Amino acid sequence: MNRLLIDIGNSTVVIAFSDAEGNIKDIWRLKTIKGETISFFRRELRAALYNFGLLKKDGTIEKIDSIVISSVVPEVNDKVSQAIIDITGVEPHFFSLDDAQKVISIQIESPSQLGKDRLADAIAARCYYGAPAIVIDMGTATTIGVVDAEGAFIGGMIMPGVKTSLKALSNKASQLPTINIEKPRHFIGRNTLECMQSGIIYGTASMIDGMIDRIIPTLGKDVKIIATGGNAHYVISYCKHNITFDPYLQFKGIQKATI
């Protein structure tokens, strides 16, 4: 069974191709641009299908059995949905709270306000890694989700993301440049570039370690720690805790809840 799993995030739309065995085979990324047209999303979807080998040179498309969308940007939902229908003829299903609650207990105030990305992360962490678990998703925001020993999602934290923080720093401080996120040559920076690199890399790693240290006593022993998201690979190797990186965590959670 061929499936497309689509994550519409604040910065990026990621399209994943899942095969008949449920394995994530490939992904396609594009920027989330709220003002773009349906034509833009049709063009990007065609590029993704061609990259996955589902769109042939003669213009035919292999059968796609289902398409599931997880979105935290409602402004583009209708455009993406229409582009999908135009090209594949498949009506996409939007991953919902009801889907999640079939798989995981959600023990927080106002579950309807919880981002679908955080729900999917928690489901995948519990189902693929076990409980209790701490899930760190590093995108536009850095979020932490907590799954207790009984496998229930009990809440978490939301912080500015790595690039979000760096962009704010460069925009608000006139003498600080825009930089790439890279490990500095020296931990104690010897110039402005190194100081900013050290601050964003080691500062974020220290924050994550500190949050984990505060969470673990509430969960007991054998806590699994999993990280995902487009910025995680910049940081987690500098954390003191043993953190498993899973770039497909969210897609695994969406798939688990909608099969």
Side-chain angles (χ1 to χ4, degrees):
M1 181 173 71
N2 292 329
R3 302 185 90 201
L4 296 183
L5 307 171
I6 302 176
D7 167 39
I8 303 176
N10 288 297
S11 299
T12 310
V13 177
V14 186
I15 304 171
F17 169 45
S18 171
D19 68 11
E21 286 72 43
N23 301 309
I24 306 299
K25 305 300 292 183
D26 203 354
I27 61 171
W28 182 265
R29 295 179 181 273
L30 58 139
K31 288 184 178 181
T32 303
I33 305 174
K34 295 178 183 178
E36 273 293 358
T37 62
I38 295 173
S39 296
F40 167 80
F41 292 108
R42 279 197 294 257
R43 185 167 63 251
E44 288 292 338
L45 180 58
R46 285 185 177 276
L49 294 176
Y50 184 80
N51 181 69
F52 299 155
L54 298 176
L55 174 61
K56 305 303 180 183
K57 290 183 178 180
D58 63 4
T60 60
I61 297 175
E62 284 192 23
K63 182 183 178 184
I64 299 171
D65 298 279
S66 66
I67 299 174
V68 183
I69 299 173
S70 173
S71 175
V72 296
V73 189
E75 294 92 332
V76 303
N77 287 353
D78 288 344
K79 296 175 185 178
V80 172
S81 181
Q82 189 60 56
I84 288 168
I85 294 169
D86 291 346
I87 292 174
T88 69
V90 177
E91 181 83 33
H93 170 76
F94 280 84
F95 173 61
S96 67
L97 178 62
D98 288 341
D99 293 325
Q101 288 177 321
K102 294 174 185 176
V103 184
I104 193 171
S105 173
I106 303 169
Q107 298 181 9
I108 64 168
E109 298 177 7
S110 304
S112 61
Q113 296 179 7
L114 184 63
K116 303 303 184 298
D117 50 350
R118 300 183 68 198
L119 280 174
D121 287 341
I123 290 168
R126 199 207 72 178
C127 293
Y128 289 91
Y129 295 93
I134 297 170
V135 190
I136 304 150
D137 193 331
M138 302 184 70
T140 304
T142 293
T143 66
I144 297 177
V146 182
V147 178
D148 69 11
E150 285 69 48
F153 179 81
I154 60 171
M157 302 85 183
I158 302 175
M159 296 147 284
V162 175
K163 291 183 178 179
T164 303
S165 297
L166 193 56
K167 183 177 180 180
L169 187 63
S170 297
N171 287 345
K172 294 296 183 180
S174 58
Q175 290 188 308
L176 295 183
T178 300
I179 67 167
N180 293 323
I181 302 173
E182 297 176 359
K183 179 184 177 181
R185 289 170 50 196
H186 305 98
F187 170 63
I188 300 175
R190 299 183 183 180
N191 55 53
T192 300
L193 174 63
E194 288 184 357
C195 288
M196 293 178 70
Q197 289 174 330
S198 184
I200 201 69
I201 292 288
Y202 293 106
T204 303
S206 297
M207 176 190 70
I208 289 171
D209 278 328
M211 297 299 278
I212 292 171
D213 286 338
R214 289 172 179 263
I215 295 168
I216 283 178
T218 71
L219 296 178
K221 297 181 179 179
D222 301 320
V223 179
K224 290 78 177 176
I225 308 172
I226 311 100
T228 193
N231 296 320
H233 67 283
Y234 292 119
V235 173
I236 61 170
S237 61
Y238 303 103
C239 293
K240 294 180 179 179
H241 286 278
N242 182 24
I243 303 174
T244 300
F245 177 57
D246 188 336
Y248 300 144
L249 189 73
Q250 188 176 151
F251 292 118
K252 291 178 179 178
I254 297 168
Q255 180 144 272
K256 196 74 176 178
T258 57
I259 289 177

